[in-house]
Amino acid sequence: MSKNLTSRAEDYSKWYNELVVKADLAENSAVRGCMVIKPYGYAIWEKMQAELDKMFKETGHQNAYFPLFVPKSLFEAEEKNAEGFAKECAVVTHYRLQNDPDNPGKLRVDPEAKLEEELVVRPTSEAIIWSTYKNWIQSYRDLPILINQWANVVRWEMRTRLFLRTAEFLWQEGHTAHATKAEAIAEAEQMNNVYAEFAESFMAIPVIQGVKTESERFAGAVETYCIEALMQDGKALQAGTSHFLGQNFAKAFDVKFTNNEGKLDYVWATSWGVSTRLMGALIMTHSDDNGLVLPPNLAPIQVVIVPIYKNDEQLETISEVANTIKNELKALGVSCKFDNRTTHRPGAKFAQHELQGVPLRIAIGPKDLENKTVELARRDTLTKEIVDLNKVATIAKGLMTEIQESLFKKALDFRNTHITEVNNFEEFKKVLETKTGFISAHWDGTSETEQKIKELTKATIRCIPLNGEKETGSCVFTGNPSSGRVLFAKAY
Amino acid sequence: MSKNLTSRAEDYSKWYNELVVKADLAENSAVRGCMVIKPYGYAIWEKMQAELDKMFKETGHQNAYFPLFVPKSLFEAEEKNAEGFAKECAVVTHYRLQNDPDNPGKLRVDPEAKLEEELVVRPTSEAIIWSTYKNWIQSYRDLPILINQWANVVRWEMRTRLFLRTAEFLWQEGHTAHATKAEAIAEAEQMNNVYAEFAESFMAIPVIQGVKTESERFAGAVETYCIEALMQDGKALQAGTSHFLGQNFAKAFDVKFTNNEGKLDYVWATSWGVSTRLMGALIMTHSDDNGLVLPPNLAPIQVVIVPIYKNDEQLETISEVANTIKNELKALGVSCKFDNRTTHRPGAKFAQHELQGVPLRIAIGPKDLENKTVELARRDTLTKEIVDLNKVATIAKGLMTEIQESLFKKALDFRNTHITEVNNFEEFKKVLETKTGFISAHWDGTSETEQKIKELTKATIRCIPLNGEKETGSCVFTGNPSSGRVLFAKAY
């Protein structure tokens, strides 16, 4: 199975596309740009959702659900304050199909069933949510509103790739309303921290926290916080964003409240989201030429047991041992599947579980039964060892932590060795050609310079890091004064 | 707060509409027929989802996600085998908005961005899923496929009511594929049993399991299993359906497999779903003129503690006690909220929690501290008692089970006393006028008779019960032979 996977060195992009399909994560559908998320891929997404949802609730948020459709007029209201908002959207214009009188067996849109006002399938929900919040907020006592929504959204992308960029995708979008600017900024920062913690602790992906430049900001945002990750091919991937929206949406939708001094003011807002794009980041950070590599914290199956047998009697004895191990693992909080399918040979099972990134594989054969041992194989290092049957559950439990940490460390080392400081534009271009990764460089703070560099090199400013030391200098392109280094990269 | 609620006797329908809004469950949105599910309502739905999801997984199902859009041509394929399928759908015809050149500040559909093929927002996903399964199934080894999807769907309903009938609603839809007819029927029956168990054990709603008549069947189904509940106003509500689809969808989408004898055959199918409509059933089954009544198994907050105090010192002492109780409850697996808001008086808090159906309320005042007691109030019976402070957690834990069972029993008694056997059409009409509820009557098995009775009385056949004793007789309308009684009712 894995033999058929294109190697990363050969064609990274092809490797990714093949891996997503062969590991049974997702596939393209009959609908242009929309994907089918298959059960194994969805199981990983469910684990992500569960962890994120827990973190959102622990920080005081509640879930709710708002309509899929946004009336065109609400977009017009939004446009006033957030010009440039994506207009590539799916637009519903009719509400009925009918049998086509000219083509028997065919359907057509019923021309009589035209909507008075077109409905846009939500590309994001600020407009519908803020038009709703208007009715919920009168006084500072109604604030803060801390709501999250798990939903599907649609953006009419022309070039799509499974998980990374699809017309429809799944995401969560937090939309909060606050009485003060400081509180809203604190919320936007808090949620960016939540995303960073989730990325590092569960996805084992090291991220750089920063803010976007004006031109990369979300339309309508005053500040866009982000977490930026680095993929194995040296391209950056924006893994999550958290926006401080100021009073822009409150103004667009006329949402005022009486503050605790009795004065009317516009409400302060944030929004923040991560999507099924994280699946792409997860795959591209850890996986190898043999297939998927999953961090134990997000693996649907953490340990798989494969029996190696020649007859039913052997299988029966092995099954007993396997079930004991499975129960021991369950008691230790480790998920385990005993792959006792009789339709597949052990070799095919090994290949499948390797391709699908199961962190640990336990193989048990007749020899093992004699010796009271099992063979333990790590997916991340592709190493094997023979261990005592009675200790395997405890060892596996320990390895869950070790593998999780090891994957993070490996990704961190890669990321850290792929941040290059450059001090002139020749170096800048040379690094882009030879090494890739993040380029740490001085920039004069203008959108003009940013745009020129993008045109010349395809590299964009991924973020202005929040935790970096502040060092003044000269812009790598214009030589004008710079107040600090920013991170450039080619990006997904 | 609750004083403002219309009583059920006065106007049941108005009572329902007011309750949904006042208890903060949902509200109408800016989009015709689409609702906003507010955090408190969504929290109940989340508890339903969690339980159902667990039950689906325990019966071997996995979740996946399929596209929101269905190309028109797939509907045409489906029409061939399932004529009459709902055509009242939201249709996407364009993929871009643009600034309207004739109306500054306004947007319009970009006439250049017309889709080659219209996309229908899924009203249900058989078409898109079976066109996908076609590529997944070659051999009996690929079967069964046991997949569920949690999703939003859209049906262009002209008359909508919060939760009961909305243009967009949330649901789950199971879609399974099998090698044999017997296996598919067993699956459809199993899932109807799962729904019945969920309704009775978690929602505390007694349901009758049955099959639909031909005219009430899902388009494309060979048999539609259902669970039918009875609301307090004597109208029936279909709470869930599970369809045995035969080979209809396999034929419509040409899904064949090689069976274990090496012969090609069409795949056998089921689909089954429940939706946010269950929220309506939950509300209408248990609630009263004071507001919502929630079964403990689905209440977002099972116990609320309200402090009664005159000064900060008292509040502080009460808080200590309250937090101890809260921790004890948590250890017993009971969720508890300490409502220590300083912005609301105890009376307002009592009214709110009553309106929102929190099963148990604990009030603690200065006198209680002296006596080492608390006041315990049950929402379902509106009864109060003074109990020992040290025993309150254990008592509350026990009451969770007692209230759950008591609500079910009350609803069961109501349902059982609202099934009336009638043996002629005069009785039939009289019962409909005076008593409502289910009418158990003989029917000759023809759609014609069914239709005539519906026209004359608005009552429909809710189901042919599965567990009823088989008793032959004469049709209540035509006098023709009947092979068993069926249940008629007016229905939501």
Side-chain angles (χ1 to χ4, degrees):
Chain A
M1 243 170 154
S2 59
K3 295 250 167 63
N4 297 323
L5 197 63
T6 299
S7 75
R8 288 163 295 173
E10 202 181 320
D11 187 335
Y12 191 82
S13 175
K14 199 172 170 201
W15 164 81
Y16 174 81
N17 294 340
E18 283 180 11
L19 178 52
V20 171
V21 172
K22 291 192 178 189
D24 248 359
L25 301 174
E27 65 182 34
N28 286 307
S29 77
V31 188
R32 208 199 119 282
C34 294
M35 64 182 159
V36 172
I37 307 179
K38 298 184 80 172
Y40 193 65
Y42 200 83
I44 300 171
W45 175 242
E46 275 184 321
K47 294 208 104 177
M48 290 189 185
Q49 281 190 299
E51 289 304 335
L52 284 166
D53 199 70
K54 205 172 131 198
M55 293 170 97
F56 298 158
K57 283 174 178 158
E58 281 168 359
T59 43
H61 303 85
Q62 295 178 296
N63 289 327
Y65 189 76
F66 295 85
L68 171 66
F69 300 124
V70 186
K72 194 185 67 176
S73 56
L74 292 184
F75 268 82
E76 288 161 356
E78 187 171 341
E79 275 283 311
K80 285 175 202 158
N81 272 280
E83 180 112 33
F85 200 85
K87 299 193 189 75
E88 307 291 318
C89 307
V91 187
V92 177
T93 57
H94 292 72
Y95 59 85
R96 190 184 300 129
L97 291 177
Q98 61 176 198
N99 293 318
D100 188 341
D102 303 325
N103 292 296
K106 299 286 177 185
L107 297 170
R108 68 165 194 193
V109 163
D110 179 353
E112 305 281 301
K114 193 171 188 300
L115 289 172
E116 277 181 39
E117 178 178 1
E118 291 90 344
L119 297 173
V120 176
V121 179
R122 62 182 165 218
T124 179
S125 300
E126 276 80 3
I128 191 79
I129 287 180
W130 278 88
S131 75
T132 306
Y133 282 180
K134 181 178 165 58
N135 303 315
W136 293 2
I137 302 168
Q138 275 86 44
S139 139
Y140 70 95
R141 284 187 199 87
D142 302 320
L143 297 170
I145 293 178
L146 304 172
I147 285 182
N148 174 61
Q149 166 171 274
W150 290 97
N152 53 344
V153 287
V154 173
R155 297 173 186 180
W156 211 261
E157 303 285 355
M158 293 317 284
R159 293 183 61 194
T160 61
R161 285 186 76 190
L162 292 168
F163 291 124
L164 294 171
R165 194 173 295 275
T166 47
E168 181 191 17
F169 55 92
L170 303 183
W171 80 343
Q172 60 68 219
E173 45 182 328
H175 295 275
T176 69
H178 305 266
T180 68
K181 180 179 177 179
E183 200 183 303
I185 291 174
E187 167 77 7
E189 288 175 348
Q190 170 185 253
M191 297 324 287
N192 206 51
N193 285 334
V194 163
Y195 289 153
E197 192 193 326
F198 172 74
E200 303 202 331
S201 301
F202 289 89
M203 301 180 70
I205 300 180
V207 292
I208 292 168
Q209 291 199 54
V211 294
K212 290 286 180 187
T213 60
E214 196 185 336
S215 61
E216 297 277 336
R217 235 176 250 153
F218 175 66
V222 175
E223 191 84 275
T224 289
Y225 298 84
C226 62
I227 54 170
E228 294 285 328
L230 194 66
M231 303 296 100
Q232 292 179 65
D233 62 347
K235 281 171 79 175
L237 186 144
Q238 173 182 299
T241 49
S242 179
H243 313 289
F244 166 58
L245 302 170
Q247 295 174 309
N248 289 341
F249 282 88
K251 284 175 184 165
F253 294 98
D254 194 33
V255 188
K256 288 179 192 164
F257 75 109
T258 311
N259 67 20
N260 57 7
E261 288 165 354
K263 288 180 188 159
L264 266 186
D265 194 8
Y266 286 107
V267 174
W268 298 86
T270 83
S271 67
W272 29 274
V274 295
S275 73
T276 35
R277 188 166 215 239
L278 288 181
M279 292 286 296
L282 185 73
I283 296 160
M284 287 201 293
T285 301
H286 305 299
S287 301
D288 62 24
D289 293 348
N290 296 304
L292 205 59
V293 174
L294 290 175
N297 286 354
L298 293 178
I301 301 162
Q302 294 177 309
V303 178
V304 66
I305 305 177
V306 178
I308 296 160
Y309 59 96
K310 285 190 182 136
N311 54 52
D312 286 357
E313 199 188 325
Q314 283 182 355
L315 176 58
E316 205 173 305
T317 323
I318 293 171
S319 295
E320 269 177 48
V321 174
N323 285 319
T324 305
I325 296 174
K326 195 177 160 177
N327 290 333
E328 287 171 359
L329 285 169
K330 198 180 171 187
L332 293 169
V334 178
S335 66
C336 171
K337 178 181 173 164
F338 175 38
D339 185 356
N340 59 355
R341 287 176 293 171
T342 53
T343 45
H344 293 67
R345 290 172 171 279
K349 293 179 186 179
F350 282 23
Q352 185 192 337
H353 301 306
E354 192 168 284
L355 185 58
Q356 295 198 304
V358 179
L360 267 188
R361 181 187 73 220
I362 295 172
I364 314 177
K367 202 106 190 183
D368 292 306
L369 291 179
E370 272 175 42
N371 302 335
K372 298 209 176 300
T373 58
V374 301
E375 185 196 77
L376 197 61
R378 264 175 80 157
R379 174 62 187 89
D380 62 330
T381 52
L382 296 170
T383 50
K384 294 177 196 174
E385 55 174 332
I386 303 296
V387 304
D388 187 336
L389 184 63
N390 298 312
K391 291 182 185 160
V392 67
T394 320
I395 293 170
K397 167 75 179 171
L399 280 173
M400 290 298 110
T401 310
E402 193 176 318
I403 294 170
Q404 182 76 30
E405 287 170 0
S406 166
L407 285 175
F408 179 74
K409 194 180 171 304
K410 194 177 161 195
L412 184 65
D413 288 347
F414 177 84
R415 201 273 313 275
N416 287 345
T417 53
H418 285 78
I419 304 180
T420 314
E421 282 200 2
V422 308
N423 293 309
N424 62 59
F425 201 57
E426 286 313 305
E427 275 182 2
F428 189 107
K429 286 188 287 187
K430 197 174 162 199
V431 169
L432 272 183
E433 276 160 27
T434 54
K435 198 178 175 193
T436 73
F438 287 116
I439 295 175
S440 176
H442 279 288
W443 163 63
D444 64 15
T446 69
S447 295
E448 200 190 348
T449 302
E450 189 182 5
Q451 183 59 29
K452 277 185 186 155
I453 293 175
K454 185 178 173 181
E455 279 163 19
L456 289 167
T457 65
K458 289 186 183 161
T460 52
I461 300 178
R462 301 318 304 151
C463 71
I464 303 162
L466 285 171
N467 306 321
E469 288 167 40
K470 281 293 160 204
E471 172 209 85
T472 56
S474 307
C475 175
V476 82
F477 189 71
T478 61
N480 291 337
S482 153
S483 59
R485 290 181 182 271
V486 300
L487 291 179
F488 287 86
K490 291 184 187 170
Y492 279 94
Chain B
M1 243 168 156
S2 58
K3 295 250 168 60
N4 297 323
L5 197 61
T6 299
S7 75
R8 287 164 296 172
E10 202 181 322
D11 187 336
Y12 191 83
S13 174
K14 200 173 169 198
W15 164 81
Y16 174 81
N17 294 338
E18 282 180 13
L19 178 52
V20 170
V21 172
K22 290 192 178 188
D24 249 0
L25 300 174
E27 66 182 34
N28 286 306
S29 77
V31 188
R32 207 200 123 282
C34 293
M35 64 181 159
V36 172
I37 307 179
K38 298 183 79 172
Y40 193 64
Y42 200 83
I44 300 171
W45 175 242
E46 275 184 321
K47 294 208 102 176
M48 290 189 187
Q49 281 189 301
E51 289 303 335
L52 284 166
D53 199 71
K54 204 172 132 197
M55 292 170 97
F56 298 158
K57 284 175 178 158
E58 281 168 0
T59 44
H61 302 86
Q62 293 179 297
N63 289 327
Y65 189 77
F66 295 85
L68 171 67
F69 300 124
V70 186
K72 194 185 65 175
S73 56
L74 292 185
F75 269 84
E76 288 162 357
E78 187 171 341
E79 275 283 311
K80 284 175 204 158
N81 273 279
E83 179 112 31
F85 200 85
K87 299 192 188 77
E88 307 289 319
C89 307
V91 188
V92 176
T93 56
H94 291 73
Y95 59 84
R96 190 184 300 129
L97 290 178
Q98 62 175 197
N99 293 318
D100 187 341
D102 303 325
N103 292 295
K106 299 287 177 185
L107 297 170
R108 69 166 193 190
V109 163
D110 180 353
E112 305 279 302
K114 193 170 186 302
L115 289 172
E116 276 180 41
E117 178 178 2
E118 292 91 344
L119 298 173
V120 176
V121 180
R122 63 181 163 216
T124 179
S125 299
E126 276 80 3
I128 191 80
I129 287 179
W130 277 88
S131 74
T132 308
Y133 282 180
K134 182 178 164 58
N135 303 317
W136 294 2
I137 301 169
Q138 275 85 44
S139 139
Y140 70 96
R141 286 187 199 85
D142 302 320
L143 297 170
I145 293 178
L146 303 173
I147 284 183
N148 174 62
Q149 166 171 272
W150 290 97
N152 52 345
V153 286
V154 173
R155 296 172 188 183
W156 210 261
E157 303 285 355
M158 292 317 285
R159 294 182 61 194
T160 61
R161 286 186 75 190
L162 293 168
F163 291 125
L164 294 171
R165 194 174 295 277
T166 48
E168 181 192 17
F169 56 91
L170 304 183
W171 80 345
Q172 60 66 219
E173 45 183 326
H175 295 275
T176 69
H178 305 267
T180 67
K181 180 179 177 179
E183 200 183 302
I185 291 175
E187 166 77 7
E189 288 175 348
Q190 170 185 252
M191 298 324 287
N192 206 50
N193 286 335
V194 163
Y195 290 154
E197 192 192 326
F198 173 74
E200 303 204 331
S201 302
F202 290 89
M203 301 180 72
I205 300 180
V207 291
I208 292 167
Q209 292 198 52
V211 294
K212 290 287 180 187
T213 60
E214 196 186 336
S215 61
E216 297 277 335
R217 236 176 250 152
F218 175 66
V222 174
E223 190 84 274
T224 290
Y225 298 84
C226 62
I227 54 169
E228 294 285 327
L230 194 67
M231 302 296 100
Q232 291 180 66
D233 63 347
K235 281 169 80 176
L237 187 144
Q238 173 182 300
T241 49
S242 179
H243 314 289
F244 165 57
L245 302 170
Q247 294 174 311
N248 290 341
F249 283 88
K251 285 176 183 166
F253 294 99
D254 194 33
V255 188
K256 288 179 194 162
F257 75 108
T258 312
N259 67 21
N260 56 9
E261 290 165 352
K263 288 182 187 156
L264 265 185
D265 194 8
Y266 287 108
V267 175
W268 298 87
T270 82
S271 68
W272 30 274
V274 295
S275 72
T276 35
R277 191 166 212 238
L278 288 181
M279 292 288 294
L282 185 73
I283 296 161
M284 288 201 291
T285 300
H286 305 298
S287 302
D288 62 23
D289 293 347
N290 297 304
L292 205 59
V293 174
L294 290 175
N297 285 354
L298 293 177
I301 302 162
Q302 295 177 307
V303 178
V304 65
I305 305 177
V306 178
I308 296 160
Y309 57 96
K310 287 189 179 130
N311 54 52
D312 285 357
E313 199 188 322
Q314 284 181 354
L315 176 59
E316 205 172 305
T317 323
I318 293 171
S319 296
E320 269 176 47
V321 174
N323 285 321
T324 305
I325 297 174
K326 195 176 160 177
N327 289 334
E328 287 170 359
L329 285 170
K330 199 180 171 187
L332 293 169
V334 178
S335 66
C336 172
K337 178 181 174 162
F338 175 38
D339 185 357
N340 60 354
R341 288 176 294 170
T342 53
T343 45
H344 293 68
R345 289 171 172 280
K349 292 179 186 178
F350 282 23
Q352 185 192 337
H353 299 308
E354 193 168 284
L355 184 59
Q356 295 197 304
V358 180
L360 267 188
R361 180 185 74 219
I362 295 172
I364 314 176
K367 201 104 190 187
D368 291 307
L369 291 179
E370 272 176 40
N371 301 335
K372 299 211 176 300
T373 59
V374 300
E375 186 196 76
L376 196 61
R378 264 174 80 156
R379 174 62 187 89
D380 62 330
T381 52
L382 296 170
T383 51
K384 295 178 196 174
E385 57 175 328
I386 303 297
V387 304
D388 187 336
L389 183 64
N390 297 313
K391 292 180 185 160
V392 66
T394 320
I395 293 170
K397 168 76 177 170
L399 281 172
M400 290 299 109
T401 310
E402 193 177 319
I403 294 170
Q404 183 76 29
E405 287 171 359
S406 167
L407 286 175
F408 179 73
K409 194 180 171 304
K410 194 177 161 193
L412 185 63
D413 288 346
F414 177 83
R415 202 273 311 276
N416 287 345
T417 54
H418 285 78
I419 303 180
T420 313
E421 283 200 3
V422 307
N423 293 308
N424 63 61
F425 201 56
E426 286 314 304
E427 275 182 4
F428 189 107
K429 286 188 287 188
K430 198 174 159 198
V431 168
L432 272 183
E433 276 160 26
T434 54
K435 199 178 175 194
T436 73
F438 287 116
I439 295 175
S440 175
H442 279 290
W443 162 63
D444 64 15
T446 70
S447 294
E448 199 190 348
T449 301
E450 189 182 5
Q451 184 60 29
K452 277 183 186 154
I453 293 175
K454 185 178 173 182
E455 279 163 18
L456 289 166
T457 65
K458 288 185 186 163
T460 51
I461 300 178
R462 302 318 304 152
C463 71
I464 303 162
L466 286 172
N467 306 321
E469 290 166 39
K470 283 293 162 204
E471 172 209 84
T472 57
S474 308
C475 174
V476 82
F477 189 72
T478 60
N480 291 337
S482 153
S483 59
R485 290 180 181 273
V486 299
L487 291 179
F488 287 86
K490 290 185 187 169
Y492 279 94

